[in-house]
Amino acid sequence: MIPVEKARSLILDQIQRMGTEKLDLLHSLGRVLAEPVLSRRDHPPWNSSAMDGYAVRHVDVLEASEKKPVPLEVIEEVAAGVLPTKIVGRGQASRIMTGAPVPEGADAVIRVEDTRAEGGSVQIACPAEPGENVRLRGEDIQAGHVMLAQNSVMGPAEVGLLASLGRSHVLVYQRPRVAILATGNELADFDEALTPNKIMNSNGYALAAQVLEAGGVPVILGIAKDTREDLLSRLTQGLTSDLILISGGVSVGMYDFVKEVLDRLGIRMDFWKVAMKPGEPLAFGSLQAKPVFGLPGNPVSTMVTFEQFVRPALRKMQGHTLLFRPIIEAVLMERITKKPGKTHFVRAVVKKAGDRHEVWTTGNQSSGVLTSMVKAHGLLIFPSDLSEIEKGQVVKVQLLDKSFLGQAVPGY
Ligand code: AMP
Ligand code: MG
Protein backbone atom coordinates (compact mmCIF):
# COMPACT_ATOMS: atom_id res chain seq x y z
CA MET A 1 0.00 0.00 0.00
CA ILE A 2 1.54 3.33 -1.04
CA PRO A 3 0.62 6.91 -0.02
CA VAL A 4 -1.57 9.05 -2.30
CA GLU A 5 1.26 11.48 -3.14
CA LYS A 6 3.58 8.62 -4.12
CA ALA A 7 0.90 7.02 -6.31
CA ARG A 8 0.22 10.34 -7.99
CA SER A 9 3.87 11.02 -8.81
CA LEU A 10 4.43 7.42 -9.99
CA ILE A 11 1.51 7.84 -12.38
CA LEU A 12 2.28 11.34 -13.63
CA ASP A 13 5.97 10.53 -14.22
CA GLN A 14 4.91 7.91 -16.76
CA ILE A 15 2.27 9.95 -18.57
CA GLN A 16 3.27 11.16 -22.03
CA ARG A 17 1.73 14.07 -23.89
CA MET A 18 -0.49 13.27 -26.86
CA GLY A 19 0.45 14.14 -30.42
CA THR A 20 -0.83 17.31 -32.05
CA GLU A 21 -3.54 18.19 -34.55
CA LYS A 22 -4.50 21.27 -36.51
CA LEU A 23 -8.01 22.52 -35.76
CA ASP A 24 -10.10 25.32 -37.09
CA LEU A 25 -10.29 28.13 -34.60
CA LEU A 26 -13.78 27.59 -33.15
CA HIS A 27 -13.17 23.90 -32.56
CA SER A 28 -10.10 24.72 -30.47
CA LEU A 29 -12.14 26.00 -27.51
CA GLY A 30 -10.91 24.29 -24.32
CA ARG A 31 -7.86 22.78 -26.04
CA VAL A 32 -4.20 23.45 -25.26
CA LEU A 33 -1.89 25.15 -27.77
CA ALA A 34 0.96 22.94 -28.97
CA GLU A 35 2.98 25.89 -30.30
CA PRO A 36 3.44 29.54 -29.38
CA VAL A 37 1.46 31.98 -31.52
CA LEU A 38 3.28 35.02 -32.88
CA SER A 39 1.68 38.06 -34.46
CA ARG A 40 2.58 39.12 -37.96
CA ARG A 41 1.33 42.67 -37.63
CA ASP A 42 0.44 45.35 -35.11
CA HIS A 43 -3.06 45.78 -33.82
CA PRO A 44 -4.44 48.33 -34.12
CA PRO A 45 -2.45 48.55 -37.38
CA TRP A 46 -2.57 52.35 -37.23
CA ASN A 47 -3.19 55.05 -34.63
CA SER A 48 -6.95 54.86 -34.56
CA SER A 49 -9.75 56.96 -33.18
CA ALA A 50 -11.51 55.70 -30.04
CA MET A 51 -14.48 58.05 -30.65
CA ASP A 52 -16.65 59.55 -33.33
CA GLY A 53 -15.47 63.15 -33.56
CA TYR A 54 -12.77 65.38 -35.04
CA ALA A 55 -9.06 64.63 -35.39
CA VAL A 56 -7.20 67.79 -34.35
CA ARG A 57 -3.79 69.16 -33.40
CA HIS A 58 -4.09 69.56 -29.62
CA VAL A 59 -2.08 72.84 -29.73
CA ASP A 60 -4.86 74.37 -31.83
CA VAL A 61 -7.52 73.82 -29.18
CA LEU A 62 -5.61 74.56 -25.94
CA GLU A 63 -7.91 77.53 -25.19
CA ALA A 64 -11.17 75.99 -26.45
CA SER A 65 -14.20 76.15 -24.12
CA GLU A 66 -18.01 76.15 -24.28
CA LYS A 67 -17.99 79.93 -24.05
CA LYS A 68 -15.10 80.48 -26.47
CA PRO A 69 -15.15 77.63 -28.98
CA VAL A 70 -12.28 77.43 -31.49
CA PRO A 71 -13.25 77.21 -35.17
CA LEU A 72 -11.32 74.73 -37.38
CA GLU A 73 -11.54 74.07 -41.09
CA VAL A 74 -12.81 70.52 -41.85
CA ILE A 75 -10.64 69.11 -44.65
CA GLU A 76 -11.78 65.51 -44.94
CA GLU A 77 -14.09 62.80 -43.60
CA VAL A 78 -12.40 59.57 -42.51
CA ALA A 79 -14.78 56.64 -42.11
CA ALA A 80 -13.81 53.26 -40.61
CA GLY A 81 -12.22 51.12 -43.33
CA VAL A 82 -10.65 53.96 -45.34
CA LEU A 83 -7.21 55.53 -45.06
CA PRO A 84 -6.95 59.35 -44.66
CA THR A 85 -5.54 61.23 -47.63
CA LYS A 86 -4.91 64.64 -46.10
CA ILE A 87 -2.49 65.92 -43.47
CA VAL A 88 -4.15 67.97 -40.71
CA GLY A 89 -2.40 71.34 -40.65
CA ARG A 90 -2.69 74.39 -38.38
CA GLY A 91 -6.29 75.44 -37.89
CA GLN A 92 -7.61 72.27 -39.53
CA ALA A 93 -9.48 69.14 -38.48
CA SER A 94 -10.77 65.93 -40.11
CA ARG A 95 -14.12 64.40 -39.26
CA ILE A 96 -13.32 60.89 -38.02
CA MET A 97 -15.26 57.78 -37.03
CA THR A 98 -14.46 55.25 -34.29
CA GLY A 99 -11.77 52.81 -35.44
CA ALA A 100 -10.66 54.93 -38.42
CA PRO A 101 -6.96 55.83 -38.80
CA VAL A 102 -6.01 59.19 -37.28
CA PRO A 103 -4.63 61.35 -40.09
CA GLU A 104 -1.06 62.60 -40.06
CA GLY A 105 -0.66 65.93 -38.32
CA ALA A 106 -3.48 65.27 -35.83
CA ASP A 107 -2.62 64.05 -32.33
CA ALA A 108 -5.98 64.01 -30.54
CA VAL A 109 -9.66 63.39 -31.21
CA ILE A 110 -12.44 65.63 -29.85
CA ARG A 111 -15.73 63.82 -29.23
CA VAL A 112 -18.50 64.91 -31.59
CA GLU A 113 -20.58 65.82 -28.49
CA ASP A 114 -18.04 68.58 -27.72
CA THR A 115 -18.27 70.15 -31.18
CA ARG A 116 -20.71 71.97 -33.45
CA ALA A 117 -20.47 71.61 -37.22
CA GLU A 118 -20.97 74.75 -39.29
CA GLY A 119 -20.79 74.33 -43.05
CA GLY A 120 -17.16 73.53 -43.92
CA SER A 121 -15.90 74.16 -40.42
CA VAL A 122 -16.41 72.97 -36.86
CA GLN A 123 -16.53 74.73 -33.49
CA ILE A 124 -14.47 72.89 -30.88
CA ALA A 125 -15.80 73.50 -27.37
CA CYS A 126 -13.12 71.83 -25.23
CA PRO A 127 -9.35 71.29 -25.16
CA ALA A 128 -7.60 67.90 -25.55
CA GLU A 129 -4.48 66.32 -24.13
CA PRO A 130 -2.03 65.01 -26.73
CA GLY A 131 -3.10 61.43 -27.55
CA GLU A 132 -6.59 61.86 -26.14
CA ASN A 133 -9.11 59.41 -27.67
CA VAL A 134 -6.35 57.95 -29.84
CA ARG A 135 -5.56 54.23 -29.66
CA LEU A 136 -1.91 53.87 -30.51
CA ARG A 137 -0.72 51.54 -33.23
CA GLY A 138 0.33 48.23 -31.63
CA GLU A 139 -1.33 49.13 -28.32
CA ASP A 140 -2.89 45.64 -28.14
CA ILE A 141 -0.70 43.46 -30.35
CA GLN A 142 2.89 44.03 -31.49
CA ALA A 143 4.25 42.40 -34.64
CA GLY A 144 6.79 39.65 -33.94
CA HIS A 145 5.73 39.19 -30.31
CA VAL A 146 4.56 35.91 -28.77
CA MET A 147 0.87 36.65 -28.16
CA LEU A 148 -0.03 33.23 -26.72
CA ALA A 149 2.58 30.94 -25.19
CA GLN A 150 2.66 27.22 -25.92
CA ASN A 151 0.39 25.35 -23.46
CA SER A 152 -2.07 28.25 -23.25
CA VAL A 153 -5.64 27.04 -22.84
CA MET A 154 -8.01 28.26 -25.56
CA GLY A 155 -10.88 30.24 -24.01
CA PRO A 156 -13.18 32.73 -25.76
CA ALA A 157 -10.66 35.58 -25.34
CA GLU A 158 -7.88 33.45 -26.86
CA VAL A 159 -10.19 32.58 -29.78
CA GLY A 160 -10.85 36.29 -30.30
CA LEU A 161 -7.16 37.15 -30.08
CA LEU A 162 -6.19 34.54 -32.65
CA ALA A 163 -8.99 35.73 -34.93
CA SER A 164 -7.62 39.26 -34.69
CA LEU A 165 -4.22 37.85 -35.72
CA GLY A 166 -5.86 36.33 -38.77
CA ARG A 167 -5.25 32.75 -37.60
CA SER A 168 -8.04 30.51 -38.89
CA HIS A 169 -6.37 27.30 -37.63
CA VAL A 170 -4.32 26.38 -34.58
CA LEU A 171 -2.08 23.51 -33.56
CA VAL A 172 -3.32 21.86 -30.35
CA TYR A 173 -2.76 18.61 -28.47
CA GLN A 174 -5.07 15.72 -29.32
CA ARG A 175 -7.77 14.54 -26.95
CA PRO A 176 -6.98 11.13 -25.47
CA ARG A 177 -9.42 8.30 -26.26
CA VAL A 178 -10.27 6.61 -22.99
CA ALA A 179 -11.57 3.03 -22.96
CA ILE A 180 -14.03 2.42 -20.11
CA LEU A 181 -14.76 -1.12 -19.01
CA ALA A 182 -17.20 -1.95 -16.24
CA THR A 183 -16.90 -5.39 -14.65
CA GLY A 184 -19.39 -7.43 -12.69
CA ASN A 185 -22.01 -10.15 -13.17
CA GLU A 186 -24.41 -8.00 -11.15
CA LEU A 187 -24.39 -5.13 -13.67
CA ALA A 188 -27.06 -4.25 -16.21
CA ASP A 189 -27.21 -1.51 -18.83
CA PHE A 190 -30.09 0.57 -20.24
CA ASP A 191 -30.83 -2.01 -22.92
CA GLU A 192 -31.37 -4.81 -20.39
CA ALA A 193 -34.10 -5.56 -17.87
CA LEU A 194 -33.13 -4.47 -14.37
CA THR A 195 -34.03 -7.84 -12.80
CA PRO A 196 -33.95 -8.17 -8.96
CA ASN A 197 -30.42 -9.61 -9.06
CA LYS A 198 -29.01 -6.66 -11.00
CA ILE A 199 -27.90 -3.05 -10.45
CA MET A 200 -27.26 -0.46 -13.12
CA ASN A 201 -23.77 0.08 -14.46
CA SER A 202 -23.63 3.61 -13.09
CA ASN A 203 -19.82 3.71 -13.07
CA GLY A 204 -19.64 3.41 -16.83
CA TYR A 205 -21.68 6.59 -17.17
CA ALA A 206 -20.10 8.55 -14.31
CA LEU A 207 -16.65 7.73 -15.68
CA ALA A 208 -17.62 8.66 -19.23
CA ALA A 209 -18.88 12.01 -17.92
CA GLN A 210 -15.69 12.54 -15.92
CA VAL A 211 -13.61 11.73 -19.00
CA LEU A 212 -15.60 14.25 -21.07
CA GLU A 213 -15.25 16.89 -18.38
CA ALA A 214 -11.50 16.27 -18.30
CA GLY A 215 -11.30 16.77 -22.08
CA GLY A 216 -10.99 13.11 -23.11
CA VAL A 217 -13.10 11.06 -25.54
CA PRO A 218 -14.84 8.14 -23.82
CA VAL A 219 -14.86 4.81 -25.62
CA ILE A 220 -17.43 2.59 -23.93
CA LEU A 221 -16.42 -1.06 -23.76
CA GLY A 222 -19.62 -2.13 -21.97
CA ILE A 223 -19.80 -4.60 -19.13
CA ALA A 224 -17.44 -7.55 -18.75
CA LYS A 225 -18.71 -10.61 -16.91
CA ASP A 226 -16.53 -11.75 -14.04
CA THR A 227 -14.81 -14.34 -16.19
CA ARG A 228 -11.24 -14.39 -17.42
CA GLU A 229 -12.39 -14.86 -21.03
CA ASP A 230 -14.80 -11.93 -21.18
CA LEU A 231 -12.36 -9.62 -19.39
CA LEU A 232 -9.58 -10.63 -21.73
CA SER A 233 -11.55 -10.14 -24.93
CA ARG A 234 -12.99 -6.75 -23.90
CA LEU A 235 -9.70 -5.46 -22.54
CA THR A 236 -8.04 -6.41 -25.80
CA GLN A 237 -10.48 -4.05 -27.57
CA GLY A 238 -9.38 -1.32 -25.17
CA LEU A 239 -5.81 -1.52 -26.37
CA THR A 240 -6.60 0.69 -29.36
CA SER A 241 -7.36 3.60 -27.01
CA ASP A 242 -4.84 5.94 -25.40
CA LEU A 243 -5.75 5.07 -21.81
CA ILE A 244 -7.77 2.28 -20.21
CA LEU A 245 -10.10 2.49 -17.22
CA ILE A 246 -11.50 -0.63 -15.60
CA SER A 247 -14.01 -0.34 -12.80
CA GLY A 248 -14.41 -3.11 -10.24
CA GLY A 249 -12.85 -6.52 -10.00
CA VAL A 250 -9.57 -5.24 -8.56
CA SER A 251 -10.32 -6.21 -4.98
CA VAL A 252 -9.82 -9.57 -3.26
CA GLY A 253 -13.22 -11.11 -4.04
CA MET A 254 -13.40 -14.65 -5.43
CA TYR A 255 -14.32 -13.31 -8.86
CA ASP A 256 -11.88 -10.40 -9.01
CA PHE A 257 -9.94 -11.57 -12.05
CA VAL A 258 -8.77 -8.18 -13.35
CA LYS A 259 -5.25 -8.57 -11.91
CA GLU A 260 -4.81 -11.99 -13.43
CA VAL A 261 -6.06 -10.90 -16.85
CA LEU A 262 -3.89 -7.78 -16.92
CA ASP A 263 -0.96 -10.01 -16.10
CA ARG A 264 -1.82 -12.28 -18.99
CA LEU A 265 -1.99 -9.31 -21.35
CA GLY A 266 1.53 -8.40 -20.28
CA ILE A 267 0.43 -5.22 -18.56
CA ARG A 268 3.09 -4.27 -16.02
CA MET A 269 1.37 -3.09 -12.85
CA ASP A 270 3.16 -0.57 -10.64
CA PHE A 271 0.88 -0.86 -7.62
CA TRP A 272 -2.42 -2.35 -6.50
CA LYS A 273 -3.28 -0.44 -3.35
CA VAL A 274 -3.21 3.18 -2.28
CA ALA A 275 -3.55 4.33 1.34
CA MET A 276 -6.73 6.32 0.81
CA LYS A 277 -10.42 6.20 1.57
CA PRO A 278 -12.56 5.89 -0.40
CA GLY A 279 -10.61 3.95 -2.97
CA GLU A 280 -8.04 1.67 -1.40
CA PRO A 281 -7.94 -0.96 -4.16
CA LEU A 282 -6.49 1.01 -7.05
CA ALA A 283 -4.26 -0.49 -9.64
CA PHE A 284 -2.03 1.32 -12.10
CA GLY A 285 0.22 -0.01 -14.79
CA SER A 286 1.04 0.31 -18.44
CA LEU A 287 1.16 -1.65 -21.62
CA GLN A 288 3.54 -0.25 -24.24
CA ALA A 289 3.36 3.16 -22.51
CA LYS A 290 -0.46 3.00 -22.52
CA PRO A 291 -1.68 3.77 -18.98
CA VAL A 292 -4.11 1.28 -17.44
CA PHE A 293 -6.09 2.07 -14.29
CA GLY A 294 -7.96 -0.53 -12.28
CA LEU A 295 -10.40 1.61 -10.32
CA PRO A 296 -12.42 0.32 -7.37
CA GLY A 297 -16.01 -0.68 -8.13
CA ASN A 298 -17.82 1.25 -5.41
CA PRO A 299 -19.32 4.25 -7.19
CA VAL A 300 -17.85 6.94 -4.91
CA SER A 301 -14.45 5.23 -4.85
CA THR A 302 -14.49 5.09 -8.65
CA MET A 303 -15.20 8.81 -8.95
CA VAL A 304 -12.80 9.90 -6.20
CA THR A 305 -9.89 7.84 -7.53
CA PHE A 306 -10.61 9.21 -11.02
CA GLU A 307 -10.39 12.73 -9.54
CA GLN A 308 -7.10 12.09 -7.75
CA PHE A 309 -5.24 10.15 -10.41
CA VAL A 310 -6.95 9.88 -13.80
CA ARG A 311 -8.04 13.49 -14.29
CA PRO A 312 -4.51 14.89 -13.70
CA ALA A 313 -3.14 12.23 -16.05
CA LEU A 314 -5.65 13.14 -18.79
CA ARG A 315 -4.82 16.81 -18.35
CA LYS A 316 -1.10 16.13 -18.63
CA MET A 317 -1.73 14.13 -21.83
CA GLN A 318 -3.53 17.15 -23.30
CA GLY A 319 -0.70 19.56 -22.54
CA HIS A 320 -2.26 21.31 -19.54
CA THR A 321 0.19 22.75 -17.04
CA LEU A 322 -2.42 23.10 -14.27
CA LEU A 323 -3.20 19.47 -13.53
CA PHE A 324 -5.08 19.67 -10.24
CA ARG A 325 -8.33 21.04 -8.89
CA PRO A 326 -8.03 24.24 -6.88
CA ILE A 327 -7.73 23.80 -3.12
CA ILE A 328 -9.22 26.29 -0.68
CA GLU A 329 -8.94 26.63 3.07
CA ALA A 330 -12.17 26.45 5.02
CA VAL A 331 -13.27 26.38 8.66
CA LEU A 332 -14.51 22.93 9.68
CA MET A 333 -18.01 23.23 11.18
CA GLU A 334 -18.18 19.75 12.76
CA ARG A 335 -15.66 17.45 14.46
CA ILE A 336 -14.47 14.56 12.27
CA THR A 337 -12.58 11.40 13.24
CA LYS A 338 -10.94 8.41 11.54
CA LYS A 339 -8.21 5.84 12.05
CA PRO A 340 -4.74 7.13 11.12
CA GLY A 341 -2.86 5.55 8.19
CA LYS A 342 -4.91 6.60 5.15
CA THR A 343 -5.76 9.91 3.52
CA HIS A 344 -9.51 10.38 3.56
CA PHE A 345 -11.31 12.39 0.90
CA VAL A 346 -14.44 13.50 2.74
CA ARG A 347 -17.34 14.65 0.58
CA ALA A 348 -18.06 18.15 1.78
CA VAL A 349 -20.44 21.05 1.44
CA VAL A 350 -18.88 24.52 1.39
CA LYS A 351 -20.51 27.85 2.18
CA LYS A 352 -19.09 31.31 1.84
CA ALA A 353 -19.60 33.25 5.08
CA GLY A 354 -18.27 36.79 4.89
CA ASP A 355 -14.59 36.58 4.00
CA ARG A 356 -14.17 32.95 5.01
CA HIS A 357 -15.35 29.58 3.80
CA GLU A 358 -17.12 27.10 6.06
CA VAL A 359 -17.23 23.37 5.42
CA TRP A 360 -19.45 20.47 6.55
CA THR A 361 -19.39 16.81 5.60
CA THR A 362 -22.25 15.60 3.39
CA GLY A 363 -23.14 13.06 6.10
CA ASN A 364 -22.90 9.31 5.29
CA GLN A 365 -19.42 8.75 3.83
CA SER A 366 -19.98 5.18 2.64
CA SER A 367 -18.28 4.54 -0.70
CA GLY A 368 -21.56 3.25 -2.09
CA VAL A 369 -23.47 6.49 -1.45
CA LEU A 370 -23.35 8.25 -4.81
CA THR A 371 -25.76 10.95 -3.59
CA SER A 372 -22.90 12.21 -1.39
CA MET A 373 -21.01 13.07 -4.60
CA VAL A 374 -24.07 14.89 -5.94
CA LYS A 375 -24.24 17.00 -2.77
CA ALA A 376 -20.50 17.65 -2.52
CA HIS A 377 -18.85 20.90 -3.58
CA GLY A 378 -15.51 19.35 -2.86
CA LEU A 379 -13.39 16.77 -1.11
CA LEU A 380 -12.11 17.70 2.33
CA ILE A 381 -8.59 16.33 2.66
CA PHE A 382 -8.27 14.52 6.01
CA PRO A 383 -4.51 13.86 6.17
CA SER A 384 -3.22 10.32 6.60
CA ASP A 385 -1.50 10.78 9.97
CA LEU A 386 -4.43 12.48 11.73
CA SER A 387 -7.22 10.74 13.63
CA GLU A 388 -9.41 13.74 14.42
CA ILE A 389 -9.97 17.34 13.44
CA GLU A 390 -11.85 19.59 15.84
CA LYS A 391 -14.68 21.89 14.88
CA GLY A 392 -13.26 25.37 14.14
CA GLN A 393 -9.97 24.09 12.69
CA VAL A 394 -8.93 25.20 9.20
CA VAL A 395 -8.89 22.36 6.65
CA LYS A 396 -8.10 22.04 2.97
CA VAL A 397 -10.88 21.34 0.48
CA GLN A 398 -10.28 20.26 -3.10
CA LEU A 399 -13.00 22.02 -5.09
CA LEU A 400 -15.04 19.99 -7.56
CA ASP A 401 -17.87 22.46 -8.01
CA LYS A 402 -17.88 26.20 -7.37
CA SER A 403 -21.66 26.65 -7.36
CA PHE A 404 -21.57 27.51 -3.64
CA LEU A 405 -20.06 30.85 -4.62
CA GLY A 406 -23.42 31.74 -6.10
CA GLN A 407 -23.81 35.18 -7.56
CA ALA A 408 -21.88 37.45 -5.24
CA VAL A 409 -23.35 40.77 -6.37
CA PRO A 410 -26.73 40.86 -8.13
CA GLY A 411 -26.31 41.98 -11.69
CA TYR A 412 -22.61 41.08 -12.02
P1 AMP B 1 -15.98 -4.82 -6.91
O1 AMP B 1 -14.78 -3.94 -6.78
O2 AMP B 1 -16.11 -5.45 -8.25
O3 AMP B 1 -16.01 -5.83 -5.80
O4 AMP B 1 -17.25 -3.89 -6.69
C1 AMP B 1 -17.44 -3.21 -5.49
C2 AMP B 1 -18.87 -2.70 -5.39
O5 AMP B 1 -19.10 -1.79 -6.42
C3 AMP B 1 -19.92 -3.77 -5.56
O6 AMP B 1 -21.00 -3.48 -4.66
C4 AMP B 1 -20.37 -3.62 -6.99
O7 AMP B 1 -21.69 -4.07 -7.19
C5 AMP B 1 -20.25 -2.14 -7.20
N1 AMP B 1 -19.98 -1.88 -8.59
C6 AMP B 1 -18.99 -2.42 -9.33
N2 AMP B 1 -19.02 -1.98 -10.58
C7 AMP B 1 -20.07 -1.11 -10.66
C8 AMP B 1 -20.62 -0.31 -11.72
N3 AMP B 1 -20.08 -0.33 -12.93
N4 AMP B 1 -21.68 0.46 -11.44
C9 AMP B 1 -22.21 0.48 -10.19
N5 AMP B 1 -21.73 -0.23 -9.18
C10 AMP B 1 -20.68 -1.05 -9.38
MG1 MG C 1 -17.15 -6.89 -9.07
Side-chain angles (χ1 to χ4, degrees):
M1 193 142 78
I2 61 170
V4 172
E5 299 72 22
K6 179 89 194 294
R8 195 179 274 149
S9 61
L10 263 173
I11 292 169
L12 290 176
D13 282 351
Q14 294 187 42
I15 296 292
Q16 309 283 334
R17 263 209 303 254
M18 299 288 295
T20 61
E21 62 183 326
K22 204 163 204 168
L23 289 184
D24 65 88
L25 189 55
L26 261 189
H27 285 107
S28 72
L29 188 68
R31 303 290 282 271
V32 183
L33 283 182
E35 61 179 5
V37 177
L38 278 81
S39 61
R40 294 192 200 101
R41 71 173 195 162
D42 291 336
H43 185 80
W46 48 72
N47 291 344
S48 74
S49 177
M51 293 283 171
D52 289 322
Y54 289 85
V56 301
R57 296 150 39 96
H58 87 280
V59 288
D60 287 350
V61 296
L62 287 174
E63 308 289 321
S65 68
E66 290 265 354
K67 282 202 182 120
K68 279 187 76 182
V70 173
L72 297 175
E73 178 200 357
V74 179
I75 56 170
E76 181 176 32
E77 186 180 299
V78 191
V82 299
L83 293 174
T85 59
K86 292 188 177 153
I87 299 172
V88 175
R90 259 186 101 165
Q92 296 182 323
S94 285
R95 178 83 169 94
I96 193 165
M97 310 304 155
T98 305
V102 174
E104 245 184 274
D107 62 1
V109 172
I110 307 286
R111 302 184 312 157
V112 72
E113 293 89 334
D114 298 323
T115 66
R116 204 173 62 245
E118 274 176 0
S121 70
V122 61
Q123 299 283 345
I124 304 290
C126 74
E129 298 284 329
E132 195 164 328
N133 296 325
V134 176
R135 294 184 188 137
L136 292 180
R137 171 183 180 151
E139 174 180 282
D140 191 13
I141 296 169
Q142 303 84 44
H145 281 214
V146 173
M147 300 314 297
L148 288 178
Q150 186 172 348
N151 299 106
S152 299
V153 180
M154 292 297 295
E158 285 74 11
V159 169
L161 183 61
L162 291 202
S164 71
L165 296 177
R167 297 282 296 244
S168 60
H169 290 79
V170 280
L171 195 70
V172 297
Y173 293 105
Q174 290 167 3
R175 299 172 67 187
R177 287 163 44 86
V178 181
I180 299 171
L181 180 63
T183 71
N185 290 342
E186 75 280 29
L187 301 179
D189 220 311
F190 291 124
D191 56 356
E192 294 163 57
L194 201 56
T195 49
N197 58 331
K198 298 265 181 168
I199 59 166
M200 268 296 294
N201 166 24
S202 61
N203 288 351
Y205 293 91
L207 282 173
Q210 285 182 297
V211 166
L212 280 171
E213 201 196 26
V217 181
V219 178
I220 311 278
L221 298 182
I223 301 164
K225 294 276 177 235
D226 290 319
T227 65
R228 294 175 182 86
E229 298 68 35
D230 201 21
L231 278 170
L232 193 63
S233 86
R234 286 180 192 264
L235 268 178
T236 311
Q237 291 171 41
L239 295 178
T240 57
S241 298
D242 301 305
L243 184 145
I244 301 172
L245 298 178
I246 307 163
S247 103
V250 285
S251 200
V252 290
M254 282 177 66
Y255 299 99
D256 290 341
F257 295 130
V258 169
K259 271 188 212 183
E260 199 185 309
V261 169
L262 289 179
D263 214 35
R264 248 207 259 177
L265 277 171
I267 296 179
R268 185 180 50 76
M269 299 312 286
D270 291 322
F271 55 83
W272 285 100
K273 275 190 171 189
V274 178
M276 65 187 281
K277 200 175 173 192
E280 177 186 298
L282 170 82
F284 174 76
S286 52
L287 180 66
Q288 293 151 16
K290 197 183 299 284
V292 181
F293 290 84
L295 304 177
N298 277 304
V300 176
S301 310
T302 316
M303 291 193 74
V304 170
T305 48
F306 181 99
E307 272 297 332
Q308 304 315 313
F309 305 109
V310 186
R311 184 178 181 274
L314 289 177
R315 288 178 66 82
K316 185 170 178 191
M317 289 170 92
Q318 292 166 90
H320 283 283
T321 47
L322 289 176
L323 303 185
F324 307 112
R325 297 276 191 190
I327 288 180
I328 59 163
E329 294 199 320
V331 179
L332 184 61
M333 302 304 282
E334 61 186 279
R335 178 174 182 264
I336 53 175
T337 59
K338 71 167 173 66
K339 280 196 229 138
K342 289 181 191 174
T343 305
H344 283 214
F345 292 93
V346 182
R347 277 81 76 202
V349 174
V350 182
K351 277 192 193 145
K352 198 163 179 332
D355 54 6
R356 70 178 202 176
H357 292 107
E358 296 175 344
V359 63
W360 288 261
T361 76
T362 57
N364 188 346
Q365 293 292 309
S366 155
S367 57
V369 177
L370 198 48
T371 48
S372 66
M373 282 301 282
V374 175
K375 286 181 195 150
H377 297 119
L379 299 169
L380 186 167
I381 302 167
F382 196 163
S384 174
D385 52 331
L386 298 187
S387 57
E388 62 180 328
I389 309 180
E390 293 299 336
K391 180 177 170 176
Q393 297 280 96
V394 173
V395 293
K396 289 192 160 56
V397 182
Q398 189 182 53
L399 286 185
L400 303 177
D401 162 14
K402 297 190 192 106
S403 65
F404 66 88
L405 288 172
Q407 204 162 299
V409 183
Y412 281 87

